Amino acid sequence: MAKRVYQVWKGSNYFFIGGRLIFGPDAKSLLISLLLIIVPVTVFCVFVARHLRHEFSSYNAGYAILAVAIIFTIHVLVLLLLTSARDPGIVPRNSHPPEEEFRHDFSTSVEGGRQTPSLQLPRTKEVIVNGMPVRVKYCDTCMLYRPPRCSHCSICNNCVERFDHHCPWVGQCIGLRNYRFFFCFVSSAMLLCIYVFAICALYIKVLMNDNQGTVWKAMKESPASVILMAYCFISLWFVGGLTGFHLYLISTNQTTYENFRYKSENRINVYDLGCVNNFMEVFCTQVKPSRNNFRAFVQEEEPRPPLRTTREAEVEMGEDQRVKVEDDLDFGGDLLKISQRHNIEDIEADIRSRGSDVHHHNSSAADSVLGSDRRAPNVQADIRNSSWGRRSGSWEIASEVVGMKSNVTESRSHVVPKDPYQ
């Protein structure tokens, strides 16, 4: 039976409802975030908002306090779910490196100074963004060149477009497709904290007016209000500070990753379109559809011929060099034989021209020929050694072969017959 994409997914994500919901590997931390929202709101509705139902008699306005708290909490939870349970902008990984980007590189080997070809993939390449060159990197895990502003999340093990950061509180990466919902979640949580804090303070004020007491007596009468105010005050520092920081990032069209990594480099921000346009880009543009269809069936790819590795290229080139060297040795040996034959013929002709001293000349010529035969292996061995250093296809005769004729000629010059008239 064919499997679906989410069943063979290579990332570290968790899928639910047949691949319809996707979470990060730390999705369990999402339960903590849910408790941190639901529990305080429940306490607020039971111990604070419920007592304020009849405090505002006109049109039963006290019920509105309870209704707003419940509706606003549901709004925050929906934004949390939209942030953590959707594809943040994952770039589908390739099953093989992009072959069109391969280039042949001849790198010099340490052993023998040989040059061996190897296939190398450029680690970076430049693309044009808003008229400015931007360098993008190659991802070895996903086997692709990351789009601009894309980064590989080591926790989710995915390349995410417009990667902002990995948030453990929502258990998901924050990227192109869920950044808007993340900011709305954080800012709504901040407003919820302000709302709960303000209503708790209002309830203490109502208790003070009803009992004609002090603040301390009112706080003792409603300890839940005090606890909620302290909790909201502490939480407001986190979600409020986070909201302010992301307002700055949106106004300058930066991501958290870019701000922390390139802050000290004083780079020109090629993505900055102006404050208004930056906000329009985040909140008023359509969310791009996911590049992944997690419920689709996996299609089997046809087997591809394996790429030639560096080792195979070295072996192939080594064989070519070995054949070339053998050809050089054969050619050198032929030249040696031709040189020896011509020298021997000259010696025999000289011997025949001197009939009066045949025996003496034959013994001298034989010694000369034997001496040439003894030296021939050494010369040939020298030729064999010298041919290893030749890299080109030149047929240049080694200096040892050229010098051999002069040695044989010198040997012949020593075979000078005695003058019969002396």
Side-chain angles (χ1 to χ4, degrees):
M1 183 177 178
K3 293 185 177 180
R4 298 183 184 270
V5 173
Y6 77 91
Q7 294 174 329
V8 296
W9 187 252
K10 295 183 179 180
S12 303
N13 304 91
Y14 292 122
F15 294 90
F16 296 94
I17 316 179
R20 292 177 175 85
L21 301 180
I22 174 174
F23 295 89
D26 49 353
K28 295 180 180 179
S29 61
L30 180 62
L31 299 176
I32 299 176
S33 300
L34 292 173
L35 291 176
L36 292 175
I37 297 172
I38 296 174
V39 172
V41 172
T42 303
V43 173
F44 171 77
C45 293
V46 173
F47 295 98
V48 178
R50 183 172 63 89
H51 298 291
L52 294 174
R53 290 176 298 170
H54 305 292
E55 291 296 330
F56 307 94
S57 57
S58 58
Y59 304 103
N60 293 324
Y63 286 95
I65 296 176
L66 185 61
V68 170
I70 295 174
I71 294 173
F72 204 34
T73 302
I74 294 175
H75 170 71
V76 172
L77 295 178
V78 169
L79 290 173
L80 176 60
L81 185 64
L82 289 173
T83 303
S84 60
R86 69 185 293 136
D87 177 9
I90 298 174
V91 181
R93 64 183 66 194
N94 292 331
S95 57
H96 54 81
E99 293 183 0
E100 63 275 6
E101 299 292 343
F102 274 114
R103 66 183 180 187
H104 292 272
D105 182 34
F106 289 85
S107 57
T108 304
S109 174
V110 179
E111 298 179 359
R114 295 184 293 110
Q115 287 187 345
T116 58
S118 61
L119 292 175
Q120 288 189 355
L121 200 63
R123 305 307 302 171
T124 61
K125 69 176 184 178
E126 287 189 350
V127 296
I128 303 300
V129 178
N130 296 330
M132 298 288 291
V134 176
R135 182 173 298 178
V136 295
K137 296 182 180 180
Y138 178 77
C139 179
D140 293 312
T141 303
C142 300
M143 290 185 288
L144 52 83
Y145 283 97
R146 302 168 187 163
R149 313 189 85 175
C150 175
S151 183
H152 190 88
C153 177
S154 59
I155 300 176
C156 294
N157 195 25
N158 295 314
C159 279
V160 180
E161 288 187 277
R162 202 184 184 277
F163 177 76
D164 191 87
H165 69 287
H166 183 92
C167 182
W169 296 104
V170 301
Q172 183 64 282
C173 285
I174 308 302
L176 178 66
R177 300 188 67 249
N178 63 348
Y179 180 78
R180 177 188 306 176
F181 304 107
F182 170 76
F183 177 81
C184 292
F185 162 70
V186 173
S187 57
S188 298
M190 178 193 67
L191 295 177
L192 182 60
C193 288
I194 295 174
Y195 177 77
V196 173
F197 184 91
I199 298 301
C200 288
L202 176 63
Y203 182 54
I204 291 178
K205 177 65 175 175
V206 170
L207 292 176
M208 290 176 58
N209 295 334
D210 292 343
N211 300 327
Q212 299 295 325
T214 61
V215 176
W216 298 107
K217 289 182 179 181
M219 293 172 63
K220 289 179 180 179
E221 190 173 349
S222 179
S225 298
V226 178
I227 296 174
L228 287 173
M229 290 176 65
Y231 175 79
C232 292
F233 180 79
I234 296 173
S235 300
L236 195 59
W237 282 99
F238 292 98
V239 293
L242 199 59
T243 301
F245 176 66
H246 279 278
L247 281 174
Y248 162 72
L249 293 179
I250 294 173
S251 64
T252 57
N253 207 330
Q254 298 183 67
T255 63
T256 303
Y257 178 80
E258 293 168 349
N259 182 265
F260 280 91
R261 180 162 186 175
Y262 305 123
K263 186 176 181 179
S264 59
E265 298 183 8
N266 295 325
R267 289 189 175 186
I268 298 176
N269 186 4
V270 299
Y271 308 103
D272 189 3
L273 305 176
C275 184
V276 176
N277 291 329
N278 292 337
F279 275 94
M280 294 283 289
E281 183 181 32
V282 174
F283 298 107
C284 300
T285 56
Q286 185 178 3
V287 178
K288 292 184 178 181
S290 175
R291 293 191 178 190
N292 305 278
N293 185 4
F294 299 109
R295 290 182 50 78
F297 290 100
V298 178
Q299 297 179 356
E300 296 183 359
E301 294 185 357
E302 296 180 358
R304 298 165 47 84
L307 295 176
R308 187 176 62 174
T309 61
T310 304
R311 178 60 182 172
E312 292 174 351
E314 290 180 0
V315 172
E316 183 178 346
M317 189 171 183
E319 292 177 355
D320 295 340
Q321 287 184 345
R322 187 160 53 250
V323 172
K324 176 179 175 300
V325 170
E326 290 176 357
D327 294 340
D328 291 348
L329 291 176
D330 293 340
F331 181 73
D334 294 339
L335 290 177
L336 178 62
K337 291 178 182 179
I338 293 171
S339 178
Q340 290 178 357
R341 185 168 61 251
H342 284 302
N343 284 295
I344 292 174
E345 291 176 356
D346 293 342
I347 293 174
E348 290 178 352
D350 189 28
I351 291 174
R352 285 194 299 270
S353 65
R354 303 177 187 276
S356 60
D357 198 6
V358 175
H359 179 74
H360 179 73
H361 288 296
N362 284 337
S363 61
S364 300
D367 292 340
S368 177
V369 171
L370 291 176
S372 299
D373 292 338
R374 294 189 199 98
R375 286 190 298 271
N378 295 332
V379 173
Q380 187 172 0
D382 293 340
I383 296 172
R384 183 182 301 273
N385 293 333
S386 64
S387 64
W388 286 102
R390 189 182 306 151
R391 300 180 183 175
S392 64
S394 174
W395 290 101
E396 182 181 358
I397 302 175
S399 60
E400 292 88 342
V401 178
V402 177
M404 188 195 67
K405 183 175 181 181
S406 61
N407 292 335
V408 177
T409 305
E410 291 177 1
S411 299
R412 188 182 66 179
S413 64
H414 290 292
V415 188
V416 178
K418 294 181 181 179
D419 191 352
Y421 298 101
Q422 289 181 355

